[in-house]
Amino acid sequence: MATVTLLLELLLMVGMAYSFGFLYYGLYRNITARVHGRFGPSIAQSFWDSIKLFSKATSTSFGWMFTAGPIIMASGAVMTVLFIPFFNQGDHLQGLSPYGNLLVVLYFMVLGPLGNALGVGSSGNPFGAMGITRGLTRLFALEMPLYLATIGLMITGGTADIHTLMIQQSTTPNLLSHPLLFVAAFLSLVGFLGKSPFDVVGAPQEVYSGPAVEFGGKFLALALSQSAVFTFAKLLLMVDLFWGGAATLLELIFKTFVFFVVTVFIGNVYGRFTTVQSVEFLLKVPTVIAIVGLLRV
Amino acid sequence: MQQGLKQIEGLRQEGFVPYHTSLTEEVTAQQRTLESETEGLANTQTLIEKAIHWFQAHSMFVVAYGTGCGAIEMPPVFTSRYDIERLGVVGVATPRQADILIVSGYASLKTLRRIIRTYEQMSEPKYVIALGSCTINGGMYWDSYNTIKKLEDYLGVDMYVAGCMPRPEALIEGFVKLQAAIRDQTLEPGYVRYRDDYAWYRRNQEKVLGKNIAPQYEENYAGMELS
Ligand code: SF4
């Protein structure tokens, strides 16, 4: 019985991440449109896009590795979301978090981009390879501040268990008690969500949407859906680690949404860095902030 | 019809030789561009098909090929002034991701090769919007030595937007009509014609481009062999 409940809950978690991810993405497109002085599409537009792409009759593959790429990406995203507890109390929607801690989550977060690299590489498209090179270079710079910040949290909390870390924040959230670690991790989140100024990977003007250049039909559908799930997973992780998690669904939506909107505004205000600039920035500013924060722990 | 025949006959007498060999061919082509809505096909859709077609109509990824001067009218359509994203239409960077190909104006022989390649790399269902008179009958380039006259001879075109150059409103109306046609399934898609009558299209392509063009089209044509 317990196994069945767990399985159902896992499905529910992925479903929630999928729908919230697409909803947020729709809002992102709307907010950006308002910033441009337009009306923008319907909020559910991204969801319609994904259904349309799944219903495409043909999608070109370049061999089994190409087909496996998006699947590895999607499993990376799904596993990430399953290991992050949704709520800071109760037994429900805790997912697999009792079986794996923050280190496992950080490990799964890089699985997706690596799978993507293998798949795109086998298409032989030079723009795909360029996008992947940019992506992995940026990933290396993004991880530095994020890992330093999470190490800081693990040292202060004395544990790597996300649920315990959440409960420890019941009086003051880490956001206030460790502001430097938060700023470092948040800048890294902006990059992880692919927002400007760190959106060097899928730049449509320079590398023709980079890794997704050869993805059509169902492959693109899978890539978009996994990015929706992954976006929600990353927001959830930030809320859990720095804002004490959430007790109710409404609180969860509110907190993740606040983080999301801030990244959207940052993305709308700043222009794009080049790859070198973004790596330099990430290795200088957030990394130094994280190190200072780590020393004060 | 009579009017059209007379006009073309008049042109012939003045010494112009239209691209199409037979008169009826020319006139039916004209007729087809005028009657964008055909009937029939619809009403037989199941509920799921209806839903899928609705989603396909309301989410269109466009690869906008700026071949001719009409291309200058496309940026306003996609940006703040006319904001076609309202209708679920967005531009994408590669043909693999696209559902719609816009050929915006005259196509020179050199460009035609690229247009055909782009078209063949798109995944089905795919549609083509031909923008401007030049794609319908040659427009003001109709007697040029290195542009094609009728795009329909080389690709399956689904929607024509007439004008030289068509205003952004006209292009938007073309999109709206195409959406309605996809939703209600009132058109025979160009890609089906292209697949079924490939020999004919290929012959036309070879007639103007010579034999040295992209390999024979197959469904799911990958562009290169890698396995
Ligand atoms: S129809 Fe007119 S505007 Fe369009 S490509 Fe031809 S000449 Fe240019």
Side-chain angles (χ1 to χ4, degrees):
Chain A
M1 194 59 209
T3 333
V4 178
T5 331
L6 182 65
L7 279 178
L8 285 179
E9 277 191 10
L10 295 186
L11 274 181
L12 185 64
M13 283 167 83
V14 177
M16 276 169 72
Y18 180 82
S19 9
F20 285 129
F22 270 131
L23 200 63
Y24 287 179
Y25 194 63
L27 281 166
Y28 158 69
R29 286 169 71 170
N30 256 282
I31 294 170
T32 313
R34 293 301 156 102
V35 172
H36 293 172
R38 316 184 263 124
F39 280 103
S42 146
I43 290 182
Q45 184 64 47
S46 310
F47 181 64
W48 299 346
D49 288 348
S50 89
I51 296 193
K52 187 253 345 225
L53 287 169
F54 271 121
S55 73
K56 279 253 181 192
T58 55
S59 356
T60 310
S61 173
F62 294 84
W64 68 269
M65 195 61 236
F66 186 83
T67 313
I71 296 176
I72 301 177
M73 251 201 303
S75 21
V78 167
M79 290 316 283
T80 313
V81 88
L82 291 186
F83 277 97
I84 307 177
F86 275 38
F87 295 121
N88 56 12
Q89 55 191 36
D91 299 332
H92 291 298
L93 295 190
Q94 300 297 329
L96 298 174
S97 62
Y99 308 102
N101 54 22
L102 188 51
L103 296 175
V104 179
V105 173
L106 292 178
Y107 166 74
F108 275 125
M109 275 175 82
V110 296
L111 183 64
L114 291 179
N116 196 8
L118 290 174
V120 173
S122 66
S123 79
N125 189 313
F127 291 114
M130 272 162 70
I132 284 298
T133 322
R134 287 166 165 231
L136 293 183
T137 317
R138 189 193 63 174
L139 185 67
F140 152 74
L142 283 176
E143 281 172 346
M144 203 64 114
L146 182 69
Y147 287 0
L148 287 174
T150 42
I151 287 173
L153 292 186
M154 286 190 264
I155 292 174
T156 41
T159 171
D161 183 43
I162 301 180
H163 199 259
T164 322
L165 281 174
M166 275 202 281
I167 290 171
Q168 285 168 351
Q169 299 176 54
S170 50
T171 45
T172 22
N174 283 335
L175 182 78
L176 299 176
S177 50
H178 301 291
L180 290 179
L181 293 183
F182 171 70
V183 170
F186 194 81
L187 285 175
S188 164
L189 174 78
V190 175
F192 262 115
L193 292 185
K195 297 275 182 296
S196 278
F198 307 115
D199 55 342
V200 289
V201 181
Q205 293 88 349
E206 302 148 29
V207 285
Y208 307 100
S209 65
V213 66
E214 286 290 343
F215 285 170
K218 299 190 171 62
F219 295 109
L220 189 60
L222 204 55
L224 281 185
S225 314
Q226 72 85 24
S227 101
V229 172
F230 206 19
T231 299
F232 188 74
K234 286 177 269 197
L235 291 168
L236 189 63
L237 184 67
M238 283 298 284
V239 169
D240 282 2
L241 291 183
F242 288 99
W243 205 348
T248 61
L249 186 61
L250 225 55
E251 195 185 344
L252 180 75
I253 296 173
F254 171 74
K255 285 181 171 175
T256 47
F257 187 64
V258 168
F259 276 165
F260 184 71
V261 165
V262 176
T263 60
V264 168
F265 282 142
I266 294 179
N268 272 323
V269 171
Y270 289 99
R272 183 185 305 138
F273 277 153
T274 63
T275 317
V276 175
Q277 280 170 337
S278 68
V279 170
E280 271 181 6
F281 176 84
L282 286 166
L283 286 185
K284 276 182 193 156
V285 183
T287 310
V288 171
I289 294 178
I291 291 175
V292 175
L294 200 56
L295 293 178
R296 288 163 49 97
V297 159
Chain B
M1 183 90 172
Q2 284 305 323
Q3 192 84 26
L5 273 172
K6 245 186 226 153
Q7 270 176 6
I8 291 172
E9 201 44 57
L11 282 176
R12 277 184 193 255
Q13 278 164 9
E14 282 170 34
F16 296 122
V17 184
Y19 178 71
H20 289 280
T21 40
S22 91
L23 262 173
T24 28
E25 204 182 336
E26 186 77 33
V27 175
T28 29
Q30 279 197 353
Q31 208 61 26
R32 205 164 36 197
T33 61
L34 294 175
E35 298 163 2
S36 62
E37 277 142 317
T38 48
E39 301 128 36
L41 304 175
N43 303 339
T44 50
Q45 304 181 65
T46 64
L47 204 61
I48 294 187
E49 278 172 349
K50 257 190 194 156
I52 287 181
H53 291 138
W54 191 90
F55 285 119
Q56 282 172 349
H58 285 82
S59 151
M60 291 180 160
F61 288 3
V62 177
V63 70
Y65 204 138
T67 59
C69 16
I72 205 68
E73 298 292 340
M74 286 194 292
V77 173
F78 287 98
T79 47
S80 303
R81 179 77 191 255
Y82 292 98
D83 184 26
I84 202 162
E85 204 181 356
R86 282 174 299 152
L87 308 179
V89 179
V90 283
V92 288
T94 89
R96 292 268 185 238
Q97 306 171 356
D99 311 307
I100 314 271
L101 170 68
I102 303 183
V103 179
S104 61
Y106 61 83
S108 70
L109 298 183
K110 221 173 178 178
T111 326
L112 184 64
R113 289 173 198 271
R114 277 78 184 175
I115 295 177
I116 294 168
R117 276 236 154 174
T118 310
Y119 180 67
E120 290 180 353
Q121 286 184 1
M122 289 162 62
S123 40
E124 293 176 5
K126 55 187 171 187
Y127 304 92
V128 177
I129 295 182
L131 184 68
S133 320
C134 283
T135 52
I136 300 175
N137 56 10
M140 70 180 235
Y141 288 89
W142 78 277
D143 57 352
S144 157
Y145 62 96
N146 71 342
T147 62
I148 53 148
K149 312 287 180 278
K150 264 184 68 193
L151 191 62
E152 173 59 46
D153 287 348
Y154 309 95
L155 302 176
V157 179
D158 296 284
M159 183 60 63
Y160 288 101
V161 179
C164 177
M165 45 186 51
R167 294 274 306 147
E169 290 95 330
L171 180 53
I172 291 178
E173 178 156 5
F175 268 114
V176 172
K177 281 245 168 80
L178 185 60
Q179 283 187 328
I182 293 175
R183 194 186 55 226
D184 306 334
Q185 290 293 295
T186 49
L187 87 176
E188 193 204 357
Y191 69 89
V192 175
R193 262 179 289 143
Y194 191 73
R195 214 176 334 109
D196 294 350
D197 303 338
Y198 180 64
W200 185 76
Y201 285 106
R202 177 80 182 184
R203 207 190 59 218
N204 287 340
Q205 292 166 3
E206 282 179 359
K207 220 190 286 175
V208 292
L209 299 177
K211 297 259 183 239
N212 187 18
I213 53 176
Q216 295 270 333
Y217 172 68
E218 324 157 0
E219 205 180 317
N220 230 359
Y221 165 63
M224 62 186 95
E225 286 307 324
L226 267 182
S227 60

